[in-house]
Amino acid sequence: SELAMYKARLAGKPTHIFDPVADRPRPEALMLMGEMRKGLETGQFQLVYQPKVDVATGKVVAAEALSRWQHPHMKNLSPETFVPLAEQTGNIRHLTRWMLEQATTDCAAWRAAGLDLKLSVNLSAKDIATGEIVMILSRLLVEKGLPAEVLTLEITESALMDEPEEALATLDNLSDMGMSVSVDDFGTGYSSMSYLKRLPADELKIDKSFVLNLANSREDDVIVRSTVDLGRNLGLSVTAEGVEDLESFLRLREIGCTIAQGYFVARPMPLEKFMEFCTNSPWA
Ligand code: C2E
Ligand code: CA
Ligand code: CA
Ligand code: CA
């Protein structure tokens, strides 16, 4: 069953969650998912917001909503663990519904406070594999009084590999309604270019693995520069995530990258802190 394990890995199934031999999620994973349902209902989940700033002006223009799980006993469950787990067990629908409800509520709050900033949310493969999300998002936008244009949907390339036709149709729909589509973790997938051709993309988001070392790596510099050129030539906005120092930020400005996000600007933070940051900081 070493082979089964490799097959599971190749299929993108994390082997600490998914038992490749029995071909089903491990019992611990299933238990954790029960905890997740409970946690979503009892307020253990929280959203934090990380600013996205215009590289040319240095001003905040948007925020990415990122989920946090504060379980009463288990410490620091990272989304890198619970999101893939939720995807494998079908629980992602519940996380996504909660996340979208919370994020649109928060976005309406910062707009009511006079902050004209866009909201980026992460969607998983399962979320766009059917058209259900179109109804969920339409209803939320109406309920919260938000124009479709404030929303950016960050989708990883791998999200399209499951049900490419359905996923593309869903994204076309959302894009026609006025939402922006961002290709997240750009450069890490198998076939970035072919997806780029078929997707209604508005933004390329360069994966942080190419950005973290930008100031010291000749290779990363070439990759980031080429991606920014590609985006510009396709008429897309280009975001660099994982910007951790001034040198990288300034280099991105030279290169002509549109938007920067990373610890150099700010770490993800709760709503109140985020609104304070956008009112009262050098990036405001
Ligand atoms: P992502 O969408 O690529 O988000 C960027 C991740 O990089 C975040 O980690 C963020 O905190 C981190 N990051 C931001 N700036 C820097 C930096 O300068 N340096 C470094 N080293 N890291 C930085 P986080 O919050 O742990 O999220 C991990 C992943 O979990 C996200 O990756 C996203 O794919 C997923 N995720 C988070 N929340 C949700 C959610 O509500 N729904 C879905 N479907 N996925 C989510
Ligand atoms: Ca993202
Ligand atoms: Ca990313
Ligand atoms: Ca990522």
Side-chain angles (χ1 to χ4, degrees), residues 190-223:
Y190 300 100
S191 47
S192 318
M193 299 306 158
S194 63
Y195 285 127
L196 203 51
K197 257 186 80 171
R198 302 172 61 198
L199 261 178
D202 302 280
E203 174 185 88
L204 292 187
K205 197 159 181 185
I206 309 176
D207 190 65
K208 59 175 177 282
S209 59
F210 305 112
V211 180
L212 290 172
N213 252 330
L214 185 59
N216 309 303
S217 158
R218 170 105 197 101
E219 287 77 18
D220 288 342
D221 193 81
V222 171
I223 291 169

Short mmCIF file of all heavy atoms in Angstrom, two decimals, residues 190-223:
data_model
loop_
_atom_site.label_atom_id
_atom_site.label_comp_id
_atom_site.label_asym_id
_atom_site.label_seq_id
_atom_site.Cartn_x
_atom_site.Cartn_y
_atom_site.Cartn_z
N TYR A 190 -0.37 22.81 -11.99
CA TYR A 190 0.18 21.99 -13.06
C TYR A 190 0.11 22.69 -14.39
O TYR A 190 0.94 22.51 -15.25
CB TYR A 190 -0.58 20.67 -13.17
CG TYR A 190 -0.52 19.85 -11.92
CD1 TYR A 190 -1.57 19.82 -11.03
CD2 TYR A 190 0.62 19.09 -11.64
CE1 TYR A 190 -1.51 19.07 -9.88
CE2 TYR A 190 0.70 18.34 -10.49
CZ TYR A 190 -0.38 18.33 -9.61
OH TYR A 190 -0.32 17.59 -8.47
N SER A 191 -0.95 23.47 -14.59
CA SER A 191 -1.19 23.97 -15.94
C SER A 191 -1.76 25.38 -15.88
O SER A 191 -2.81 25.66 -16.45
CB SER A 191 -2.16 23.06 -16.67
OG SER A 191 -3.26 22.77 -15.82
N SER A 192 -1.04 26.25 -15.19
CA SER A 192 -1.48 27.62 -15.00
C SER A 192 -1.99 28.25 -16.29
O SER A 192 -3.03 28.89 -16.32
CB SER A 192 -0.33 28.48 -14.49
OG SER A 192 0.39 27.79 -13.52
N MET A 193 -1.23 28.05 -17.35
CA MET A 193 -1.52 28.79 -18.57
C MET A 193 -2.84 28.37 -19.21
O MET A 193 -3.59 29.20 -19.69
CB MET A 193 -0.39 28.63 -19.59
CG MET A 193 0.93 29.16 -19.09
SD MET A 193 0.83 30.89 -18.53
CE MET A 193 2.25 30.95 -17.46
N SER A 194 -3.12 27.07 -19.21
CA SER A 194 -4.35 26.63 -19.87
C SER A 194 -5.57 27.09 -19.08
O SER A 194 -6.59 27.43 -19.67
CB SER A 194 -4.35 25.11 -20.07
OG SER A 194 -4.32 24.48 -18.83
N TYR A 195 -5.47 27.14 -17.74
CA TYR A 195 -6.59 27.65 -16.96
C TYR A 195 -6.78 29.13 -17.20
O TYR A 195 -7.89 29.63 -17.30
CB TYR A 195 -6.38 27.38 -15.46
CG TYR A 195 -6.62 25.94 -15.13
CD1 TYR A 195 -5.68 25.20 -14.44
CD2 TYR A 195 -7.80 25.32 -15.52
CE1 TYR A 195 -5.90 23.87 -14.15
CE2 TYR A 195 -8.03 23.99 -15.25
CZ TYR A 195 -7.08 23.27 -14.56
OH TYR A 195 -7.29 21.96 -14.27
N LEU A 196 -5.65 29.81 -17.26
CA LEU A 196 -5.71 31.26 -17.46
C LEU A 196 -6.47 31.60 -18.73
O LEU A 196 -7.20 32.58 -18.80
CB LEU A 196 -4.27 31.77 -17.55
CG LEU A 196 -4.08 33.23 -17.22
CD1 LEU A 196 -4.74 33.56 -15.90
CD2 LEU A 196 -2.59 33.52 -17.15
N LYS A 197 -6.31 30.76 -19.74
CA LYS A 197 -6.98 31.01 -21.01
C LYS A 197 -8.49 30.86 -20.89
O LYS A 197 -9.24 31.54 -21.56
CB LYS A 197 -6.47 30.00 -22.06
CG LYS A 197 -5.50 30.60 -23.03
CD LYS A 197 -5.14 29.61 -24.12
CE LYS A 197 -6.20 29.53 -25.20
NZ LYS A 197 -5.72 28.73 -26.35
N ARG A 198 -8.92 29.93 -20.03
CA ARG A 198 -10.35 29.60 -19.98
C ARG A 198 -11.10 30.33 -18.88
O ARG A 198 -12.31 30.39 -18.89
CB ARG A 198 -10.51 28.09 -19.81
CG ARG A 198 -9.86 27.30 -20.92
CD ARG A 198 -9.87 25.81 -20.64
NE ARG A 198 -11.21 25.27 -20.52
CZ ARG A 198 -11.50 24.11 -19.95
NH1 ARG A 198 -10.53 23.38 -19.44
NH2 ARG A 198 -12.73 23.68 -19.89
N LEU A 199 -10.36 30.84 -17.90
CA LEU A 199 -10.99 31.46 -16.73
C LEU A 199 -11.38 32.90 -16.98
O LEU A 199 -10.66 33.62 -17.67
CB LEU A 199 -9.96 31.51 -15.60
CG LEU A 199 -9.98 30.47 -14.52
CD1 LEU A 199 -8.82 30.76 -13.57
CD2 LEU A 199 -11.28 30.52 -13.76
N PRO A 200 -12.50 33.36 -16.37
CA PRO A 200 -12.82 34.78 -16.43
C PRO A 200 -12.01 35.53 -15.38
O PRO A 200 -12.58 36.16 -14.49
CB PRO A 200 -14.32 34.80 -16.09
CG PRO A 200 -14.51 33.62 -15.19
CD PRO A 200 -13.52 32.59 -15.62
N ALA A 201 -10.68 35.50 -15.47
CA ALA A 201 -9.84 36.03 -14.39
C ALA A 201 -9.68 37.55 -14.47
O ALA A 201 -9.65 38.14 -15.56
CB ALA A 201 -8.46 35.38 -14.43
N ASP A 202 -9.63 38.20 -13.31
CA ASP A 202 -9.37 39.64 -13.21
C ASP A 202 -8.04 39.90 -12.51
O ASP A 202 -7.48 40.97 -12.63
CB ASP A 202 -10.48 40.31 -12.40
CG ASP A 202 -11.85 40.08 -13.01
OD1 ASP A 202 -12.17 40.80 -13.96
OD2 ASP A 202 -12.56 39.16 -12.56
N GLU A 203 -7.59 38.92 -11.72
CA GLU A 203 -6.40 39.11 -10.90
C GLU A 203 -5.55 37.84 -10.89
O GLU A 203 -6.08 36.74 -10.82
CB GLU A 203 -6.81 39.45 -9.45
CG GLU A 203 -5.65 39.54 -8.47
CD GLU A 203 -6.10 39.77 -7.01
OE1 GLU A 203 -6.37 38.78 -6.29
OE2 GLU A 203 -6.16 40.93 -6.61
N LEU A 204 -4.23 38.03 -10.93
CA LEU A 204 -3.30 36.93 -10.68
C LEU A 204 -2.70 37.17 -9.32
O LEU A 204 -2.25 38.28 -9.02
CB LEU A 204 -2.14 36.94 -11.68
CG LEU A 204 -2.41 36.62 -13.13
CD1 LEU A 204 -1.08 36.52 -13.88
CD2 LEU A 204 -3.18 35.31 -13.22
N LYS A 205 -2.68 36.14 -8.49
CA LYS A 205 -2.09 36.31 -7.17
C LYS A 205 -0.85 35.43 -7.09
O LYS A 205 -0.95 34.20 -6.98
CB LYS A 205 -3.12 35.95 -6.10
CG LYS A 205 -2.73 36.48 -4.76
CD LYS A 205 -3.92 36.59 -3.84
CE LYS A 205 -3.50 37.15 -2.50
NZ LYS A 205 -4.60 37.16 -1.54
N ILE A 206 0.32 36.06 -7.15
CA ILE A 206 1.58 35.31 -7.17
C ILE A 206 1.79 34.64 -5.82
O ILE A 206 1.76 35.31 -4.78
CB ILE A 206 2.78 36.23 -7.48
CG1 ILE A 206 2.51 37.07 -8.73
CG2 ILE A 206 4.05 35.41 -7.64
CD1 ILE A 206 3.63 38.06 -9.03
N ASP A 207 2.03 33.35 -5.84
CA ASP A 207 2.19 32.60 -4.59
C ASP A 207 3.35 33.14 -3.76
O ASP A 207 4.39 33.55 -4.29
CB ASP A 207 2.42 31.13 -4.90
CG ASP A 207 2.33 30.30 -3.63
OD1 ASP A 207 1.24 30.23 -3.05
OD2 ASP A 207 3.37 29.75 -3.21
N LYS A 208 3.18 33.09 -2.45
CA LYS A 208 4.21 33.67 -1.58
C LYS A 208 5.55 32.95 -1.68
O LYS A 208 6.58 33.54 -1.36
CB LYS A 208 3.72 33.75 -0.13
CG LYS A 208 3.32 32.47 0.52
CD LYS A 208 2.97 32.76 2.00
CE LYS A 208 2.47 31.54 2.73
NZ LYS A 208 1.06 31.21 2.43
N SER A 209 5.55 31.70 -2.15
CA SER A 209 6.83 30.99 -2.28
C SER A 209 7.78 31.70 -3.25
O SER A 209 8.99 31.55 -3.17
CB SER A 209 6.61 29.55 -2.73
OG SER A 209 5.93 29.51 -3.97
N PHE A 210 7.23 32.49 -4.18
CA PHE A 210 8.07 33.23 -5.12
C PHE A 210 8.41 34.64 -4.62
O PHE A 210 9.25 35.32 -5.19
CB PHE A 210 7.37 33.36 -6.48
CG PHE A 210 6.95 32.05 -7.07
CD1 PHE A 210 5.62 31.71 -7.19
CD2 PHE A 210 7.91 31.14 -7.50
CE1 PHE A 210 5.23 30.50 -7.73
CE2 PHE A 210 7.54 29.92 -8.04
CZ PHE A 210 6.20 29.60 -8.15
N VAL A 211 7.72 35.06 -3.55
CA VAL A 211 7.82 36.45 -3.12
C VAL A 211 8.65 36.60 -1.83
O VAL A 211 9.36 37.59 -1.65
CB VAL A 211 6.41 37.05 -2.90
CG1 VAL A 211 6.47 38.50 -2.44
CG2 VAL A 211 5.58 36.94 -4.18
N LEU A 212 8.56 35.58 -0.96
CA LEU A 212 9.20 35.67 0.36
C LEU A 212 10.67 36.06 0.26
O LEU A 212 11.19 36.80 1.09
CB LEU A 212 9.06 34.32 1.09
CG LEU A 212 7.64 33.97 1.55
CD1 LEU A 212 7.57 32.54 2.08
CD2 LEU A 212 7.17 34.96 2.62
N ASN A 213 11.35 35.53 -0.80
CA ASN A 213 12.79 35.73 -0.95
C ASN A 213 13.17 36.68 -2.05
O ASN A 213 14.31 36.70 -2.49
CB ASN A 213 13.42 34.37 -1.25
CG ASN A 213 14.20 33.89 -0.08
OD1 ASN A 213 14.72 34.72 0.68
ND2 ASN A 213 14.28 32.59 0.09
N LEU A 214 12.17 37.44 -2.48
CA LEU A 214 12.34 38.28 -3.67
C LEU A 214 13.62 39.13 -3.62
O LEU A 214 14.33 39.26 -4.61
CB LEU A 214 11.11 39.19 -3.82
CG LEU A 214 11.02 40.06 -5.05
CD1 LEU A 214 11.05 39.20 -6.31
CD2 LEU A 214 9.73 40.88 -5.01
N ALA A 215 13.90 39.70 -2.45
CA ALA A 215 15.03 40.61 -2.33
C ALA A 215 16.38 39.91 -2.50
O ALA A 215 17.38 40.55 -2.83
CB ALA A 215 14.98 41.35 -0.99
N ASN A 216 16.43 38.60 -2.29
CA ASN A 216 17.71 37.88 -2.32
C ASN A 216 17.82 36.80 -3.37
O ASN A 216 18.83 36.12 -3.44
CB ASN A 216 17.98 37.24 -0.96
CG ASN A 216 17.83 38.23 0.17
OD1 ASN A 216 18.48 39.26 0.18
ND2 ASN A 216 16.93 37.95 1.09
N SER A 217 16.79 36.60 -4.15
CA SER A 217 16.84 35.50 -5.10
C SER A 217 16.67 35.99 -6.53
O SER A 217 15.66 36.58 -6.89
CB SER A 217 15.76 34.46 -4.77
OG SER A 217 15.47 33.70 -5.92
N ARG A 218 17.69 35.72 -7.31
CA ARG A 218 17.69 36.11 -8.72
C ARG A 218 16.56 35.38 -9.45
O ARG A 218 15.84 35.95 -10.26
CB ARG A 218 19.09 35.75 -9.26
CG ARG A 218 19.29 35.81 -10.71
CD ARG A 218 20.12 37.07 -11.12
NE ARG A 218 19.94 37.26 -12.55
CZ ARG A 218 19.11 38.16 -13.08
NH1 ARG A 218 18.47 39.00 -12.32
NH2 ARG A 218 18.95 38.24 -14.39
N GLU A 219 16.38 34.08 -9.13
CA GLU A 219 15.35 33.27 -9.79
C GLU A 219 13.96 33.82 -9.49
O GLU A 219 13.13 33.98 -10.38
CB GLU A 219 15.40 31.81 -9.33
CG GLU A 219 16.57 31.00 -9.87
CD GLU A 219 17.88 31.33 -9.15
OE1 GLU A 219 17.84 31.91 -8.05
OE2 GLU A 219 18.94 31.00 -9.72
N ASP A 220 13.71 34.09 -8.20
CA ASP A 220 12.40 34.61 -7.82
C ASP A 220 12.14 35.95 -8.49
O ASP A 220 11.02 36.25 -8.91
CB ASP A 220 12.29 34.73 -6.29
CG ASP A 220 12.17 33.36 -5.62
OD1 ASP A 220 11.84 32.39 -6.32
OD2 ASP A 220 12.43 33.27 -4.41
N ASP A 221 13.17 36.76 -8.59
CA ASP A 221 13.02 38.05 -9.23
C ASP A 221 12.57 37.88 -10.68
O ASP A 221 11.65 38.57 -11.14
CB ASP A 221 14.33 38.85 -9.16
CG ASP A 221 14.12 40.31 -9.54
OD1 ASP A 221 13.68 41.08 -8.67
OD2 ASP A 221 14.36 40.66 -10.71
N VAL A 222 13.18 36.94 -11.37
CA VAL A 222 12.81 36.69 -12.77
C VAL A 222 11.37 36.18 -12.86
O VAL A 222 10.58 36.63 -13.70
CB VAL A 222 13.77 35.65 -13.43
CG1 VAL A 222 13.25 35.23 -14.80
CG2 VAL A 222 15.17 36.24 -13.53
N ILE A 223 11.02 35.27 -11.96
CA ILE A 223 9.67 34.68 -11.99
C ILE A 223 8.60 35.74 -11.71
O ILE A 223 7.61 35.85 -12.42
CB ILE A 223 9.56 33.51 -10.98
CG1 ILE A 223 10.42 32.33 -11.46
CG2 ILE A 223 8.11 33.08 -10.79
CD1 ILE A 223 10.62 31.24 -10.43
#
